[in-house]
Amino acid sequence: MDDDKTFKALGDPTRRKLLDLLCEKNGQTLGQLCEHLDMKRQSVTQHIGLLEEANLVSTVKRGREKHHFLNPVPLQMVYERWIRKFEQQRLALLHDLKTELEGEQDGQ
Amino acid sequence: MGNEKTTFVYVTYIRASAEKIFEAITRPEIAARYWGHENVSDWKPGSRWEHIRADAARDVKLAGDVVESDPPKRLVITWAGASEYDNPDAHSRVTFDLVPYDDMVRLTVTHDELEAGSGMAAGISKGWPLVLSSLKSYLETDEGIDVFAEPCATDAAA
């Protein structure tokens, strides 16, 4: 269930930009984030809402200000599920190839 | 320079009871399975805790003090490299908050009072996502992930 939300949240350039902005400087307020984006505050709020729903951004209230933090845990889950598996396959192929070629060199 | 502090907030939703999650953090034999390290302490406020690599060498990687313990809802500890334990300035702070959420528990790990740009800040920002993802997998599927897998393994937070 979680992966769908993660991928959907990532499928938009503004939301990816927001994640990049938080990666650069964690804990920014809405106002700070808006400075880097050429769109209405209200639209930015909506994008952040989707990122929060996907658990890619978490917020902490400090006084009257709300600070936004990048939460990469769902990305790590996606990495474990969708990326590492294929990396391992590729490594296995390289390993097979190496074994095969080195076997030939041994002049069997 | 060196005085600016930074904060990281990590959240994960885990299908397990708060008691099980709290135990997974505080009981050495469980943490060893998904974290590759044991967290050892009597978990009383004021006591020391140690983060020990769960292998034959059993290196103490991190140490700190227990600030607050309210199982299974909240645990607050300080966090420093084991060799820097005696230097109060080297201690950052980690807060675990566990809140029931539908059939899950929302686990929030807040790591603050960290020196911005330090090796520790870099290490924990790689380590926590890995550890929390492994904890979730371990409790939900009984399979942790290999926290020492390249390229993400770090000794700082792993």
Side-chain angles (χ1 to χ4, degrees):
Chain A
M1 66 141 215
D2 305 335
D3 284 359
D4 285 351
K5 281 187 181 171
T6 309
F7 283 116
K8 201 178 163 201
L10 289 173
D12 176 273
T14 302
R15 292 196 287 275
R16 291 195 297 271
K17 167 110 185 183
L18 281 163
L19 295 179
D20 277 339
L21 289 170
L22 290 176
C23 191
E24 251 169 58
K25 191 172 187 298
N26 219 351
Q28 296 189 65
T29 60
L30 178 61
Q32 288 173 311
L33 290 168
C34 284
E35 281 172 26
H36 302 276
L37 294 164
D38 188 20
M39 62 170 62
K40 282 185 190 146
R41 206 177 162 94
Q42 199 186 347
S43 313
V44 177
T45 307
Q46 276 175 0
H47 283 300
I48 291 176
L50 277 166
L51 288 169
E52 275 189 73
E53 220 172 284
N55 195 26
L56 288 165
V57 165
S58 55
T59 58
V60 175
K61 273 187 196 142
R62 283 189 196 140
R64 283 162 59 186
E65 292 207 309
K66 200 165 156 189
H67 296 262
H68 300 79
F69 293 87
L70 176 66
N71 181 43
V73 182
L75 296 177
Q76 184 69 39
M77 301 299 293
V78 163
Y79 171 75
E80 295 301 333
R81 168 67 183 82
W82 289 104
I83 300 174
R84 207 207 282 208
K85 186 163 76 177
F86 300 114
E87 277 178 352
Q88 276 166 351
Q89 277 176 5
R90 204 174 56 197
L91 288 174
L93 281 175
L94 281 174
H95 178 77
D96 291 347
L97 185 64
K98 186 172 183 285
T99 315
E100 199 171 305
L101 293 175
E102 284 176 354
E104 278 172 14
Q105 264 183 2
D106 286 345
Q108 290 164 354
Chain B
M1 218 189 105
N3 287 327
E4 201 194 328
K5 299 290 184 180
T6 187
T7 300
F8 292 89
V9 183
Y10 300 107
V11 180
T12 188
Y13 294 84
I14 302 177
R15 269 178 214 84
S17 67
E19 286 79 6
K20 278 216 149 171
I21 298 168
F22 201 92
E23 277 189 347
I25 297 162
T26 53
R27 278 181 51 185
E29 70 278 17
I30 306 179
R33 277 182 242 156
Y34 71 88
W35 201 331
H37 292 75
E38 301 174 2
N39 301 315
V40 181
S41 175
D42 63 12
W43 304 110
K44 288 180 184 145
S47 290
R48 177 181 161 114
W49 76 279
E50 288 182 338
H51 188 64
I52 300 172
R53 178 75 189 264
D55 61 6
R58 299 192 60 77
D59 281 342
V60 179
K61 299 286 187 183
L62 302 162
D65 300 317
V66 179
V67 178
E68 191 185 329
S69 177
D70 182 13
K73 285 187 282 191
R74 188 172 158 89
L75 178 69
V76 186
I77 55 179
T78 68
W79 174 290
S83 60
E84 293 181 298
Y85 176 80
D86 291 329
N87 173 14
D89 292 339
H91 286 238
S92 52
R93 180 174 59 184
V94 176
T95 304
F96 300 88
D97 281 303
L98 294 85
V99 179
Y101 200 97
D102 293 336
D103 59 336
M104 298 176 284
V105 167
R106 180 188 157 107
L107 169 66
T108 305
V109 175
T110 306
H111 200 144
D112 59 4
E113 304 282 312
L114 264 166
E115 192 182 321
S118 63
M120 185 61 91
I124 66 99
S125 67
K126 291 198 187 84
W128 278 123
L130 203 60
V131 168
L132 294 178
S133 147
S134 182
L135 169 64
K136 179 176 162 75
S137 299
Y138 172 72
L139 288 175
E140 292 183 354
T141 67
D142 213 28
E143 261 176 60
I145 55 174
D146 176 10
V147 292
F148 299 113
E150 292 294 334
C152 297
T154 66
D155 276 334

PDB file of all heavy atoms in Angstrom, chain B residues 93-107:
ATOM      1  N   ARG B  93      20.870  14.380  20.745  1.00  0.00           N
ATOM      2  CA  ARG B  93      19.742  13.798  21.475  1.00  0.00           C
ATOM      3  C   ARG B  93      18.826  13.045  20.514  1.00  0.00           C
ATOM      4  O   ARG B  93      18.549  13.513  19.410  1.00  0.00           O
ATOM      5  CB  ARG B  93      18.957  14.919  22.158  1.00  0.00           C
ATOM      6  CG  ARG B  93      17.750  14.424  22.960  1.00  0.00           C
ATOM      7  CD  ARG B  93      17.098  15.550  23.717  1.00  0.00           C
ATOM      8  NE  ARG B  93      16.655  16.609  22.810  1.00  0.00           N
ATOM      9  CZ  ARG B  93      16.125  17.752  23.229  1.00  0.00           C
ATOM     10  NH1 ARG B  93      15.982  18.016  24.500  1.00  0.00           N
ATOM     11  NH2 ARG B  93      15.752  18.662  22.339  1.00  0.00           N
ATOM     12  N   VAL B  94      18.369  11.882  20.955  1.00  0.00           N
ATOM     13  CA  VAL B  94      17.455  11.081  20.138  1.00  0.00           C
ATOM     14  C   VAL B  94      16.189  10.812  20.939  1.00  0.00           C
ATOM     15  O   VAL B  94      16.247  10.358  22.076  1.00  0.00           O
ATOM     16  CB  VAL B  94      18.105   9.738  19.720  1.00  0.00           C
ATOM     17  CG1 VAL B  94      17.108   8.883  18.954  1.00  0.00           C
ATOM     18  CG2 VAL B  94      19.350   9.984  18.877  1.00  0.00           C
ATOM     19  N   THR B  95      15.052  11.130  20.328  1.00  0.00           N
ATOM     20  CA  THR B  95      13.761  10.892  20.966  1.00  0.00           C
ATOM     21  C   THR B  95      12.953   9.913  20.130  1.00  0.00           C
ATOM     22  O   THR B  95      12.764  10.122  18.931  1.00  0.00           O
ATOM     23  CB  THR B  95      12.969  12.213  21.099  1.00  0.00           C
ATOM     24  OG1 THR B  95      13.775  13.153  21.827  1.00  0.00           O
ATOM     25  CG2 THR B  95      11.651  12.002  21.830  1.00  0.00           C
ATOM     26  N   PHE B  96      12.517   8.829  20.752  1.00  0.00           N
ATOM     27  CA  PHE B  96      11.619   7.876  20.089  1.00  0.00           C
ATOM     28  C   PHE B  96      10.213   8.130  20.622  1.00  0.00           C
ATOM     29  O   PHE B  96       9.993   8.055  21.838  1.00  0.00           O
ATOM     30  CB  PHE B  96      12.000   6.432  20.437  1.00  0.00           C
ATOM     31  CG  PHE B  96      13.394   6.031  20.023  1.00  0.00           C
ATOM     32  CD1 PHE B  96      14.479   6.237  20.876  1.00  0.00           C
ATOM     33  CD2 PHE B  96      13.631   5.418  18.802  1.00  0.00           C
ATOM     34  CE1 PHE B  96      15.768   5.846  20.515  1.00  0.00           C
ATOM     35  CE2 PHE B  96      14.911   5.023  18.430  1.00  0.00           C
ATOM     36  CZ  PHE B  96      15.983   5.241  19.293  1.00  0.00           C
ATOM     37  N   ASP B  97       9.278   8.432  19.737  1.00  0.00           N
ATOM     38  CA  ASP B  97       7.876   8.595  20.137  1.00  0.00           C
ATOM     39  C   ASP B  97       7.041   7.537  19.433  1.00  0.00           C
ATOM     40  O   ASP B  97       7.107   7.400  18.209  1.00  0.00           O
ATOM     41  CB  ASP B  97       7.357   9.989  19.732  1.00  0.00           C
ATOM     42  CG  ASP B  97       7.811  11.057  20.705  1.00  0.00           C
ATOM     43  OD1 ASP B  97       7.514  10.914  21.900  1.00  0.00           O
ATOM     44  OD2 ASP B  97       8.476  12.012  20.260  1.00  0.00           O
ATOM     45  N   LEU B  98       6.241   6.807  20.210  1.00  0.00           N
ATOM     46  CA  LEU B  98       5.407   5.755  19.629  1.00  0.00           C
ATOM     47  C   LEU B  98       3.941   6.090  19.881  1.00  0.00           C
ATOM     48  O   LEU B  98       3.524   6.237  21.035  1.00  0.00           O
ATOM     49  CB  LEU B  98       5.737   4.395  20.248  1.00  0.00           C
ATOM     50  CG  LEU B  98       7.128   3.832  19.968  1.00  0.00           C
ATOM     51  CD1 LEU B  98       8.149   4.369  20.950  1.00  0.00           C
ATOM     52  CD2 LEU B  98       7.099   2.314  20.022  1.00  0.00           C
ATOM     53  N   VAL B  99       3.194   6.236  18.791  1.00  0.00           N
ATOM     54  CA  VAL B  99       1.780   6.585  18.904  1.00  0.00           C
ATOM     55  C   VAL B  99       0.943   5.597  18.101  1.00  0.00           C
ATOM     56  O   VAL B  99       1.178   5.424  16.900  1.00  0.00           O
ATOM     57  CB  VAL B  99       1.528   8.021  18.368  1.00  0.00           C
ATOM     58  CG1 VAL B  99       0.054   8.387  18.468  1.00  0.00           C
ATOM     59  CG2 VAL B  99       2.374   9.026  19.128  1.00  0.00           C
ATOM     60  N   PRO B 100      -0.022   4.929  18.754  1.00  0.00           N
ATOM     61  CA  PRO B 100      -0.901   4.014  18.014  1.00  0.00           C
ATOM     62  C   PRO B 100      -1.634   4.754  16.898  1.00  0.00           C
ATOM     63  O   PRO B 100      -2.054   5.907  17.092  1.00  0.00           O
ATOM     64  CB  PRO B 100      -1.887   3.528  19.082  1.00  0.00           C
ATOM     65  CG  PRO B 100      -1.181   3.735  20.364  1.00  0.00           C
ATOM     66  CD  PRO B 100      -0.327   4.950  20.182  1.00  0.00           C
ATOM     67  N   TYR B 101      -1.774   4.112  15.741  1.00  0.00           N
ATOM     68  CA  TYR B 101      -2.319   4.757  14.561  1.00  0.00           C
ATOM     69  C   TYR B 101      -3.050   3.694  13.757  1.00  0.00           C
ATOM     70  O   TYR B 101      -2.416   2.847  13.142  1.00  0.00           O
ATOM     71  CB  TYR B 101      -1.149   5.339  13.760  1.00  0.00           C
ATOM     72  CG  TYR B 101      -1.499   6.417  12.794  1.00  0.00           C
ATOM     73  CD1 TYR B 101      -1.354   7.762  13.123  1.00  0.00           C
ATOM     74  CD2 TYR B 101      -1.971   6.099  11.519  1.00  0.00           C
ATOM     75  CE1 TYR B 101      -1.663   8.752  12.223  1.00  0.00           C
ATOM     76  CE2 TYR B 101      -2.289   7.089  10.617  1.00  0.00           C
ATOM     77  CZ  TYR B 101      -2.130   8.417  10.971  1.00  0.00           C
ATOM     78  OH  TYR B 101      -2.435   9.403  10.073  1.00  0.00           O
ATOM     79  N   ASP B 102      -4.387   3.677  13.799  1.00  0.00           N
ATOM     80  CA  ASP B 102      -5.166   2.561  13.241  1.00  0.00           C
ATOM     81  C   ASP B 102      -4.612   1.245  13.784  1.00  0.00           C
ATOM     82  O   ASP B 102      -4.440   1.099  14.964  1.00  0.00           O
ATOM     83  CB  ASP B 102      -5.158   2.585  11.710  1.00  0.00           C
ATOM     84  CG  ASP B 102      -5.923   3.792  11.167  1.00  0.00           C
ATOM     85  OD1 ASP B 102      -6.794   4.302  11.889  1.00  0.00           O
ATOM     86  OD2 ASP B 102      -5.644   4.211  10.031  1.00  0.00           O
ATOM     87  N   ASP B 103      -4.311   0.306  12.863  1.00  0.00           N
ATOM     88  CA  ASP B 103      -3.768  -0.978  13.329  1.00  0.00           C
ATOM     89  C   ASP B 103      -2.245  -0.949  13.369  1.00  0.00           C
ATOM     90  O   ASP B 103      -1.587  -1.982  13.409  1.00  0.00           O
ATOM     91  CB  ASP B 103      -4.256  -2.120  12.425  1.00  0.00           C
ATOM     92  CG  ASP B 103      -3.832  -1.915  10.978  1.00  0.00           C
ATOM     93  OD1 ASP B 103      -3.590  -0.747  10.594  1.00  0.00           O
ATOM     94  OD2 ASP B 103      -3.720  -2.908  10.244  1.00  0.00           O
ATOM     95  N   MET B 104      -1.698   0.275  13.324  1.00  0.00           N
ATOM     96  CA  MET B 104      -0.238   0.403  13.279  1.00  0.00           C
ATOM     97  C   MET B 104       0.234   1.291  14.418  1.00  0.00           C
ATOM     98  O   MET B 104      -0.549   1.785  15.216  1.00  0.00           O
ATOM     99  CB  MET B 104       0.166   1.054  11.956  1.00  0.00           C
ATOM    100  CG  MET B 104      -0.219   0.258  10.732  1.00  0.00           C
ATOM    101  SD  MET B 104       0.176   1.145   9.214  1.00  0.00           S
ATOM    102  CE  MET B 104      -1.105   2.360   9.140  1.00  0.00           C
ATOM    103  N   VAL B 105       1.534   1.470  14.466  1.00  0.00           N
ATOM    104  CA  VAL B 105       2.103   2.433  15.404  1.00  0.00           C
ATOM    105  C   VAL B 105       2.954   3.395  14.579  1.00  0.00           C
ATOM    106  O   VAL B 105       3.712   2.977  13.700  1.00  0.00           O
ATOM    107  CB  VAL B 105       2.963   1.719  16.476  1.00  0.00           C
ATOM    108  CG1 VAL B 105       3.806   2.727  17.245  1.00  0.00           C
ATOM    109  CG2 VAL B 105       2.071   0.935  17.424  1.00  0.00           C
ATOM    110  N   ARG B 106       2.773   4.671  14.869  1.00  0.00           N
ATOM    111  CA  ARG B 106       3.600   5.665  14.199  1.00  0.00           C
ATOM    112  C   ARG B 106       4.839   5.880  15.069  1.00  0.00           C
ATOM    113  O   ARG B 106       4.734   6.361  16.203  1.00  0.00           O
ATOM    114  CB  ARG B 106       2.795   6.963  14.055  1.00  0.00           C
ATOM    115  CG  ARG B 106       3.530   8.088  13.380  1.00  0.00           C
ATOM    116  CD  ARG B 106       2.698   9.372  13.491  1.00  0.00           C
ATOM    117  NE  ARG B 106       3.551  10.530  13.359  1.00  0.00           N
ATOM    118  CZ  ARG B 106       3.591  11.314  12.272  1.00  0.00           C
ATOM    119  NH1 ARG B 106       2.811  11.079  11.267  1.00  0.00           N
ATOM    120  NH2 ARG B 106       4.414  12.335  12.225  1.00  0.00           N
ATOM    121  N   LEU B 107       5.980   5.501  14.536  1.00  0.00           N
ATOM    122  CA  LEU B 107       7.235   5.675  15.262  1.00  0.00           C
ATOM    123  C   LEU B 107       7.963   6.893  14.703  1.00  0.00           C
ATOM    124  O   LEU B 107       8.271   6.952  13.514  1.00  0.00           O
ATOM    125  CB  LEU B 107       8.122   4.423  15.117  1.00  0.00           C
ATOM    126  CG  LEU B 107       9.567   4.555  15.600  1.00  0.00           C
ATOM    127  CD1 LEU B 107       9.643   4.766  17.107  1.00  0.00           C
ATOM    128  CD2 LEU B 107      10.388   3.325  15.206  1.00  0.00           C
TER     129      LEU B 107
END
